[in-house]
Amino acid sequence: MSEKPKDTAVTNPAQSQGAATLTKDPAPGETLLKVTGLQKHFPIRKGLLQRQVGAVRAVDGLDFEVRAGETLGVVGESGCGKSTMGRLITRLLEPTAGTVEFEGKDITHLNVSGMRPLRRDVQMIFQDPYSSLNPRHTIGTIIGAPFKLQGVTPEGGVKKEVQRLLSVVGLNPEHYNRYPHEFSGGQRQRIGIARALALNPKLVVADEPVSALDVSIQAQVVNLLDDLQQELGLTYVIIAHDLSVVRHVSDRIAVMYLGKIVELADRDSLYKAPMHPYTKALMSAVPIPDPARRGAKSERILLQGDVPSPIAPPSGCRFHTRCWKATQICKTTEPPMLELKPGQRVACHHPENAEDQAPQDTVLLSAAKEAGELVPDAVLAESAQTSQAVANETAAAKKPAVAEETAAENPAVAKETAASEESAEDK
Amino acid sequence: MTELSKTGAAVGEPVSGSPAPTAFLEVRDLKVHFPTDDGLVKSVDGLSFTLEKGKTLGIVGESGSGKSVTSLGIMGLHTAGQYGKRKAQISGEIWLDGTELLSADPDHVRKLRGREMAMIFQDPLSALHPYYTIGQQIVEAYRIHHDVDKKTAKRRAVEMLDRVGIPQPDKRVDNYPHEFSGGMRQRAMIAMSLVNNPELLIADEPTTALDVTVQAQILDLIRDLQKEFGSAVIIITHDLGVVAELSDDILVMYGGRCVERGPAEKVFYEPRHPYTWGLLGSMPRLDRDQQERLIPVKGSPPSLINIPSGCAFNPRCPYADLPKDNVTRTVRPELTEVGSKHWAACHMTQEQRQRIWTEEIAPKL
């Protein structure tokens, strides 16, 4: 394994002339995709008249941007709306509200023919390599389909271009006439990638591109995506639930919870010092492949129960029902998304590793008590310490005392209080 | 928790001449082959291991490496013959607490199944019956092995649901599986498998279908319950993180065979098989600094109908040409002891492997 494995070696492809881009490529770092207040509510209809009785608020107000040449990773548990988000930005779903701008152009309500030229620039890689390839078509037909649909004839003909793409993704070009069932899962995912690359897109949205694959194959595909980005200057939005994979591939990471982004930050800041309690809990829950840390319970935050239903999300901060730091304000007021550190935006009243946004607030006993039992003392102490340290730093400028005390007291209060309030645990 | 005495059962006589083992569970040269139209699928091809009470064995491998087939083999669930005449061909010995299971009377094994040994399946939604309440299913599992009335059994079911951390167990016991969330269903499955206090618990990918935060809850639960009940646990997974979290011993499977087996620390810190290196290198890790690139294993897992001759891993092994005389492609390597209680099946010499690991692989991880 000292040399670069053969199957990830990728020939440097000549930029396809046939798939000439419509507009000038944005320079790396410029905003390629901008999403403002994006919402998607799926109506729930009932009864004879099919009246709408409610809505699944799958995506409920997202603001973010994707810069050219970067990889934005999106993580979250199942049901947090990350896949819906992927389908909204590729306009496979119609947003309920909000806008999607691609290269400065509002594409939120473009119709099918209006979207067609843009389909070249925005492509998608799907999760399941078994259901996303038509079993009745040969690989050649599948990868050649984008050319046919767009009415583009690549230089040297479709077949030659498809074979070039096959070699780009590490497959044998002679397999042009084979059918999907003749390939393994990892090879099929490569076919899906080749199809997405056919028209030389600017933005590739990959929805769980490796979660259906075995560990050793997963690494091959992750490396392939990496290489392709470097050689073709692609911009990725990678949606995944595996935090270690997301860290490996992303430049910036958005953490989603119940249809909202709770934290959006550079990879290193996010993993070194997560600010939202949910991010912290999520990362502490990942099992570490190191037997020496077995049973390292002192570092793990066990969240209580399950994610609440997106049909009736909790009031205020959506995470307050499971958060060990929750206070009254979390129940009533939705925390705004603030840039608390350069390049790190977070929506929380009581962020970790930062100055408390609502320090004087009373602890919400019900949730905090339950969670307090599950959060190891070490974590609480450490969280109090970091908050205090940050508070101390800022104390010189602002009025001191209150912030520190409450920050240090919160965990203690959370632990010793009996269940005096009505339990807000998950139903 | 009421400790009922296990119903007495005749101890199965060993068929072969080899003496009964002293370990709680001992699997000797287990082979599970399935005849198909395309040829014989050798899902498990000569697997041996032992497991003591109170210990956890982690079995890791990719899909199709024979992990699940092994667990079903131990549970005796292959011979049921649901595919008509095409039964699995099983050979070898499985010793559970002094009883050989493969040659034992099926009725006797049926008594052990669910009572002495129980299983947690990967997908709780398909393992639970949608028409019956969670309570009815736990009660059934309990009453098959214990002569008690329904009321007592239901009390026991509520007690178990409470033990696995389901809130309001007395109400939840009358819910149907669809009224439970994924994590709660898995808890209910665990309650059902532990209701008879089994001494061997096999968990087949117990957390693969779950989110990380729920996975952490379930892993914690399994660990606590094992401490409490002192059962032997086999945990089958493809996630090295889960294995590291729970296992005392680790068995790495490839192509239906064990390629490396040993204490968890040895397998993680001094692995002696190139496939184990590959698994470790393929995995992005949260506990380390960002790796530049992952080191994947080239190629894909072998077909179990045409297992490569010699070492099954040789087509994917970057070091296949190191041993002399093309031996990797002609002779199948046997497990050899490479350290205390640590075995690996590789043709490279100990020195070669040690050098490659310390000089080439370990620094890149």
Side-chain angles (χ1 to χ4, degrees):
Chain A
M1 261 170 278
S2 50
E3 69 282 310
K4 195 173 166 188
K6 192 176 137 221
D7 56 356
T8 54
V10 169
T11 54
N12 197 0
Q15 296 282 312
S16 164
Q17 296 303 308
T21 45
L22 295 176
T23 45
K24 195 164 67 69
D25 282 1
E30 270 179 46
T31 303
L32 183 69
L33 181 84
K34 190 171 184 326
V35 171
T36 329
L38 191 66
Q39 287 188 354
K40 178 68 193 178
H41 295 180
F42 294 99
I44 305 168
R45 297 183 194 281
K46 260 196 182 150
L48 189 64
L49 298 172
Q50 291 290 296
R51 268 190 308 160
Q52 186 177 339
V53 293
V56 177
R57 302 164 74 154
V59 166
D60 210 12
L62 299 183
D63 299 282
F64 64 91
E65 50 193 44
V66 184
R67 300 168 196 151
E70 77 165 356
T71 302
L72 177 73
V74 181
V75 275
E77 293 178 276
S78 40
C80 73
K82 51 190 195 305
S83 290
T84 307
M85 185 279 292
R87 280 157 196 261
L88 286 172
I89 59 176
T90 46
R91 283 296 319 280
L92 296 176
L93 284 173
E94 186 72 23
T96 310
T99 56
V100 181
E101 282 172 43
F102 185 76
E103 294 189 311
K105 187 182 169 197
D106 188 348
I107 62 163
T108 322
H109 297 293
L110 284 183
N111 55 17
V112 175
S113 56
M115 270 307 287
R116 185 152 295 144
L118 276 165
R119 296 267 175 232
R120 288 185 193 186
D121 293 337
V122 184
Q123 284 290 330
M124 194 150 181
I125 299 170
F126 296 93
Q127 170 173 8
D128 183 359
Y130 289 81
S131 60
S132 59
L133 301 178
N134 189 336
R136 288 166 184 264
H137 287 177
T138 61
I139 300 313
T141 320
I142 289 172
I143 303 177
F147 298 114
K148 206 171 138 196
L149 292 171
Q150 288 283 341
V152 169
T153 317
E155 197 184 7
V158 173
K159 185 174 176 184
K160 199 176 157 207
E161 180 65 10
V162 168
Q163 290 184 328
R164 185 188 68 80
L165 285 163
L166 282 173
S167 63
V168 165
V169 297
L171 292 172
N172 188 344
E174 285 162 25
H175 293 168
Y176 180 82
N177 275 323
R178 294 201 179 177
Y179 285 90
H181 73 264
E182 296 173 74
F183 293 88
S184 69
Q187 288 174 317
R188 286 180 203 217
Q189 198 57 295
R190 288 169 188 267
I191 295 165
I193 294 173
R195 174 174 62 185
L197 295 179
L199 293 170
N200 203 9
K202 291 174 187 159
L203 176 68
V204 175
V205 178
D207 188 359
E208 303 270 11
V210 296
S211 57
L213 307 173
D214 270 319
V215 200
S216 68
I217 310 295
Q218 210 170 354
Q220 294 175 3
V221 173
V222 165
N223 280 352
L224 173 66
L225 289 172
D226 235 15
D227 291 337
L228 291 172
Q229 178 166 43
Q230 286 186 2
E231 279 156 34
L232 306 175
L234 295 171
T235 307
Y236 288 135
V237 173
I238 294 186
I239 300 165
H241 68 276
D242 186 330
L243 281 111
S244 21
V245 168
V246 165
R247 181 179 95 154
H248 190 84
V249 297
S250 311
D251 300 309
R252 288 193 308 142
I253 293 163
V255 182
M256 284 185 72
Y257 185 76
L258 268 184
K260 282 192 179 293
I261 293 179
V262 295
E263 184 162 4
L264 176 62
D266 298 332
R267 174 185 64 204
D268 292 337
S269 342
L270 187 87
Y271 279 86
K272 279 204 188 91
M275 290 168 89
H276 199 285
Y278 178 64
T279 316
K280 189 162 179 164
L282 203 58
M283 286 196 313
S284 79
V286 178
I288 298 296
D290 185 350
R293 297 176 60 165
R294 183 187 314 151
K297 269 188 161 179
S298 56
E299 294 168 28
R300 172 156 297 166
I301 301 165
L302 278 185
L303 289 181
Q304 178 84 334
D306 300 295
V307 183
S309 157
I311 297 174
S315 62
C317 172
R318 295 184 172 198
F319 187 55
H320 86 256
T321 52
R322 302 170 82 194
C323 183
W324 67 98
K325 298 182 103 184
T327 60
Q328 206 58 47
I329 192 176
C330 303
K331 203 173 177 179
T332 52
T333 316
E334 196 176 319
M337 191 88 174
L338 295 175
E339 183 154 350
L340 293 181
K341 278 184 195 167
Q344 193 158 9
R345 285 196 286 159
V346 58
C348 181
H349 292 300
H350 308 289
E352 298 272 323
N353 304 311
E355 190 190 356
D356 211 322
Q357 298 298 298
Q360 68 287 359
D361 204 50
T362 47
V363 174
L364 190 63
L365 298 177
S366 52
K369 187 210 138 240
E370 296 229 332
E373 288 166 4
L374 295 161
V375 178
D377 294 345
V379 172
L380 289 176
E382 187 206 311
S383 127
Q385 233 174 34
T386 50
S387 310
Q388 198 166 14
V390 178
N392 283 341
E393 278 173 33
T394 47
K398 294 175 188 173
K399 54 182 182 201
V402 195
E404 305 172 26
E405 268 170 34
T406 332
E409 257 170 36
N410 278 358
V413 176
K415 281 186 68 91
E416 68 189 29
T417 327
S420 52
E421 261 194 51
E422 203 184 330
S423 167
E425 71 177 76
D426 54 298
K427 292 289 181 305
Chain B
M1 199 138 295
T2 47
E3 181 62 63
L4 292 165
S5 66
K6 312 268 174 190
T7 44
V11 173
E13 292 296 316
V15 236
S16 59
S18 53
T22 49
F24 173 64
L25 172 73
E26 179 158 354
V27 173
R28 287 180 188 165
D29 197 30
L30 178 70
K31 289 183 181 168
V32 184
H33 296 174
F34 299 94
T36 67
D37 290 341
D38 297 327
L40 193 62
V41 177
K42 295 179 177 173
S43 290
V44 178
D45 203 20
L47 186 72
S48 307
F49 62 86
T50 58
L51 178 62
E52 295 294 346
K53 265 190 206 172
K55 294 282 181 193
T56 304
L57 173 74
I59 301 184
V60 267
E62 293 177 88
S63 31
S65 61
K67 319 184 287 285
S68 295
V69 172
T70 305
S71 64
L72 293 174
I74 296 170
M75 291 291 288
L77 294 174
H78 281 310
T79 37
Q82 59 269 56
Y83 306 112
K85 282 178 188 170
R86 280 209 201 140
K87 288 185 184 176
Q89 302 167 354
I90 307 179
S91 65
E93 293 168 36
I94 299 168
W95 290 87
L96 180 76
D97 211 4
T99 313
E100 208 286 306
L101 297 179
L102 287 183
S103 60
D105 178 19
D107 285 338
H108 176 55
V109 177
R110 194 169 301 128
K111 281 190 188 127
L112 295 179
R113 198 182 299 135
R115 182 179 180 107
E116 294 277 339
M117 49 186 187
M119 193 154 172
I120 304 170
F121 294 93
Q122 171 172 0
D123 180 4
L125 192 55
S126 56
L128 292 169
H129 198 298
Y131 282 7
Y132 296 93
T133 63
I134 296 288
Q136 282 170 327
Q137 299 184 49
I138 300 179
V139 163
E140 186 191 6
Y142 191 59
R143 291 190 74 211
I144 283 176
H145 296 286
H146 294 90
D147 186 19
V148 293
D149 59 58
K150 279 187 181 165
K151 238 182 176 169
T152 321
K154 189 160 179 186
R155 259 207 313 276
R156 170 84 179 154
V158 173
E159 187 186 308
M160 283 314 294
L161 287 180
D162 188 36
R163 184 62 201 84
V164 297
I166 288 184
Q168 299 175 298
D170 45 333
K171 294 205 180 78
R172 285 303 206 154
V173 73
D174 293 321
N175 280 167
Y176 288 91
H178 74 266
E179 295 173 272
F180 276 42
S181 70
M184 293 228 282
R185 279 184 210 130
Q186 196 57 288
R187 283 171 193 266
M189 277 283 298
I190 293 176
M192 196 191 299
S193 55
L194 290 178
V195 71
N196 292 312
N197 249 338
E199 296 188 318
L200 172 66
L201 179 67
I202 302 178
D204 188 356
E205 305 264 11
T207 58
T208 309
L210 307 174
D211 277 317
V212 270
T213 56
V214 182
Q215 165 170 293
Q217 295 169 0
I218 298 291
L219 293 182
D220 231 47
L221 177 67
I222 293 178
R223 190 175 11 214
D224 287 351
L225 291 172
Q226 180 184 25
K227 236 179 248 162
E228 188 180 323
F229 293 88
S231 330
V233 175
I234 298 179
I235 184 148
I236 293 169
T237 175
H238 65 276
D239 187 334
L240 287 168
V242 171
V243 172
E245 193 95 353
L246 288 179
S247 317
D248 300 298
D249 287 311
I250 293 177
L251 192 158
V252 184
M253 282 190 83
Y254 187 81
R257 286 172 72 89
C258 168
V259 293
E260 181 157 5
R261 171 157 66 94
E265 289 78 12
K266 292 269 183 193
V267 175
F268 272 94
Y269 302 141
E270 297 164 34
R272 287 290 177 265
H273 195 283
Y275 179 62
T276 317
W277 301 341
L279 284 183
L280 290 168
S282 302
M283 206 180 30
R285 299 182 62 151
L286 277 187
D287 58 329
R288 302 277 170 85
D289 288 337
Q290 179 80 19
Q291 300 109 308
E292 266 303 296
R293 283 181 76 79
L294 299 176
I295 318 161
V297 187
K298 64 177 180 180
S300 41
S303 147
L304 293 171
I305 296 176
N306 290 311
I307 296 177
S309 63
C311 174
F313 188 59
N314 85 66
R316 304 177 74 189
C317 182
Y319 310 104
D321 292 319
L322 277 186
K324 278 176 197 144
D325 305 331
N326 209 14
V327 70
T328 44
R329 292 183 184 82
T330 50
V331 182
R332 191 187 244 188
E334 294 300 326
L335 282 174
T336 49
E337 197 151 2
V338 291
S340 122
K341 292 184 178 169
H342 184 192
W343 293 267
C346 181
H347 282 304
M348 279 189 278
T349 61
Q350 266 272 50
E351 294 71 39
Q352 280 173 327
R353 279 180 272 168
Q354 187 159 1
R355 183 189 59 76
I356 294 172
W357 167 251
T358 45
E359 290 175 15
E360 293 182 26
I361 311 289
K364 284 194 210 156
L365 292 184

